[in-house]
Amino acid sequence: MQINQIKIRNFRNIEKIEYNPKSQLNIIKGKNAQGKTNLLEAIYMLSANNSFRTSRDRDLLNYNATDFSIRSKYIYQERNHNLFLDFDLESGKSLVLNNKKVNRSNTDLLKVVLFTPDDLYLVKGSPHKRRYFLDFVLKQITNDYNYCLDNFTKTLRKRNLLLRNEQTNTRSFKIVNDLYVEYASKLIILRLNFVALFDEIATSVFYKINDGANQLKIRYALSFPVNSDKINLDVLMNTLIKQLEDNSVLENRKRSTTAGPHLDDLHIYLDNKMARIFASQGQQRNIAITMKLAELYSFKKIKGFYPLFLLDEVLSELDNEKRQLIINQLSQADFQSFLTAVNLDNLILKNVEVDNITNGRLLGKE
């Protein structure tokens, strides 16, 4: 997957940009608040149909503008695609792919892996951050996960509402509870299967970037115990049913669902110790870099092609050795990447395209 051209109008501080990136590493360089992240955000919008910085589309409008547009030409599965995203204060937002209106679940949309400074805290951050990490990559990989996650979220919301209203003895609660168990178990199975592959790839990546100094393991951590050597859908459903029955008093008191994928986590181990507790800050950042690269390679393993790699201001958080390592990897990679940076001091740049941006305008290449 590769973007050949992107045109942006009235998006944040970008009044008008036409950008023609190269096929490997593209660096957008500029001082703070000049539009580097806005350019990355526009590319991200073409994949997720929403921003990674705000939930309100109106916040993305240029000053005094009432609409914005993002247009791109890209290659996917050896075919040329044209994708238009438009937003208007009155008519809302629309996605048009090859002259046909589509929604964000369309399989031909751009696919991305996003790496921001916040992701450097994937290891020691809250479980919610790691669940979001899993959800984002799996939603791009399979529509089954999209469907299952949407249904699980709706059913969890209904179940919690019935708990809050003290309606656990009703027929409605039994129906919702049965659906909840089904969708929760299917979601967990999809996550477990992915994490098994992800762990294998991440272990290999970490070994290479860490010179074989430590061993990394990543395990999916359920929020309820499963007393079985083999986990399958039936085992999960039966176990979750029993767990929810055992938790009924607690749930009635807390008025919320106390077991399921919304409470699960990823446990990350460095040399068989919990990384969030025992790993140094530098080691945790190495693990975060590993997880993002493993996300790319897992995507390729499953889908047969690489997504775009978007890296927003991550170099400033790393030492020079890791900065150069990332530059070297991306400049030789088989995928297209976009990296924003304030400066590139002391870095060797080979086969790299550097564009300068100031006040939302691209000023040319270095």
Side-chain angles (χ1 to χ4, degrees), residues 11-12 37-38 40-61 68 70 85 93 104 112 114 116 132 136 139 310 312:
F11 185 84
R12 294 216 185 251
T37 300
N38 299 341
L40 246 59
E41 186 180 21
I43 297 173
Y44 181 91
M45 288 280 293
L46 294 172
S47 169
N49 197 34
N50 58 266
S51 165
F52 59 86
R53 300 159 78 192
T54 179
S55 59
R56 287 162 37 102
D57 291 322
R58 63 174 57 241
D59 294 342
L60 305 171
L61 287 167
F68 69 75
I70 307 167
L85 186 152
K93 187 165 56 180
R104 65 181 181 181
V112 304
L114 174 68
T116 74
Y132 179 83
F136 183 80
K139 282 192 293 184
L310 312 180
D312 184 36

Side-chain angles (χ1 to χ4, degrees), residues 13-228:
N13 77 329
I14 299 173
E15 291 185 8
K16 188 177 181 181
I17 272 182
E18 180 175 326
Y19 182 38
N20 300 284
K22 64 176 294 184
S23 61
Q24 288 177 305
L25 174 57
N26 300 272
I27 297 178
I28 302 101
K29 179 185 170 187
K31 295 179 181 179
N32 291 326
Q34 299 304 305
K36 302 186 301 298
T37 300
N38 299 341
L39 180 51
L40 246 59
E41 186 180 21
I43 297 173
Y44 181 91
M45 288 280 293
L46 294 172
S47 169
N49 197 34
N50 58 266
S51 165
F52 59 86
R53 300 159 78 192
T54 179
S55 59
R56 287 162 37 102
D57 291 322
R58 63 174 57 241
D59 294 342
L60 305 171
L61 287 167
N62 189 261
Y63 183 67
N64 281 338
T66 59
D67 67 292
F68 69 75
S69 68
I70 307 167
R71 280 147 166 56
S72 71
K73 295 179 180 180
Y74 62 95
I75 299 172
Y76 170 50
Q77 293 186 335
E78 300 181 354
R79 289 181 54 213
N80 293 318
H81 295 268
N82 293 289
L83 179 60
F84 299 165
L85 186 152
D86 294 293
F87 172 75
D88 185 277
L89 281 174
E90 293 187 4
S91 57
K93 187 165 56 180
S94 67
L95 272 173
V96 177
L97 178 63
N98 300 330
N99 300 316
K100 182 179 179 181
K101 195 168 184 178
V102 297
N103 59 40
R104 65 181 181 181
S105 65
N106 188 282
T107 56
D108 289 337
L109 293 183
L110 283 172
K111 310 297 181 188
V112 304
V113 167
L114 174 68
F115 190 11
T116 74
D118 282 347
D119 291 318
L120 291 167
Y121 302 96
L122 258 176
V123 179
K124 68 177 181 180
S126 69
H128 168 76
K129 184 180 286 289
R130 290 181 288 277
R131 287 192 296 269
Y132 179 83
F133 168 80
L134 280 177
D135 288 340
F136 183 80
V137 63
L138 278 164
K139 282 192 293 184
Q140 291 198 102
I141 287 174
T142 168
N143 277 340
D144 287 345
Y145 192 85
N146 259 317
Y147 174 80
C148 194
L149 181 62
D150 285 346
N151 281 303
F152 167 77
T153 303
K154 291 172 186 174
T155 310
L156 174 63
R157 194 177 298 124
K158 290 177 183 176
R159 192 176 190 277
N160 285 338
L161 180 61
L162 291 169
L163 282 166
R164 285 196 297 272
N165 292 336
E166 300 182 353
Q167 295 178 344
T168 55
N169 293 321
T170 64
R171 183 172 178 271
S172 294
F173 185 81
K174 185 181 185 315
I175 294 171
V176 169
N177 190 65
D178 289 345
L179 286 171
Y180 172 80
V181 168
E182 178 187 350
Y183 289 127
S185 300
K186 288 180 177 178
L187 199 69
I188 290 169
I189 289 291
L190 289 168
R191 286 181 179 177
L192 282 168
N193 290 337
F194 174 74
V195 171
L197 171 66
F198 182 77
D199 169 61
E200 180 183 335
I201 292 173
T203 299
S204 175
V205 172
F206 187 76
Y207 185 87
K208 291 176 183 176
I209 72 170
N210 209 43
D211 296 325
N214 304 96
Q215 185 181 31
L216 181 71
K217 291 181 183 176
I218 299 174
R219 299 289 184 265
Y220 189 77
L222 291 161
S223 57
F224 56 95
V226 177
N227 298 317
S228 174

Side-chain angles (χ1 to χ4, degrees), residues 291-335:
M291 291 177 70
K292 283 296 168 178
L293 289 171
E295 183 181 349
L296 273 166
Y297 299 137
S298 299
F299 193 107
K300 171 67 162 60
K301 181 80 173 178
I302 295 169
K303 300 295 289 183
F305 67 93
Y306 285 109
L308 308 179
F309 196 16
L310 312 180
L311 303 94
D312 184 36
E313 297 283 9
V314 296
L315 293 186
S316 61
E317 302 290 331
L318 304 172
D319 61 42
N320 203 62
E321 181 182 350
K322 285 294 180 287
R323 281 156 47 96
Q324 189 65 61
L325 176 68
I326 287 180
I327 294 293
N328 291 346
Q329 288 243 351
L330 298 181
S331 63
Q332 300 168 31
D334 294 328
F335 50 82

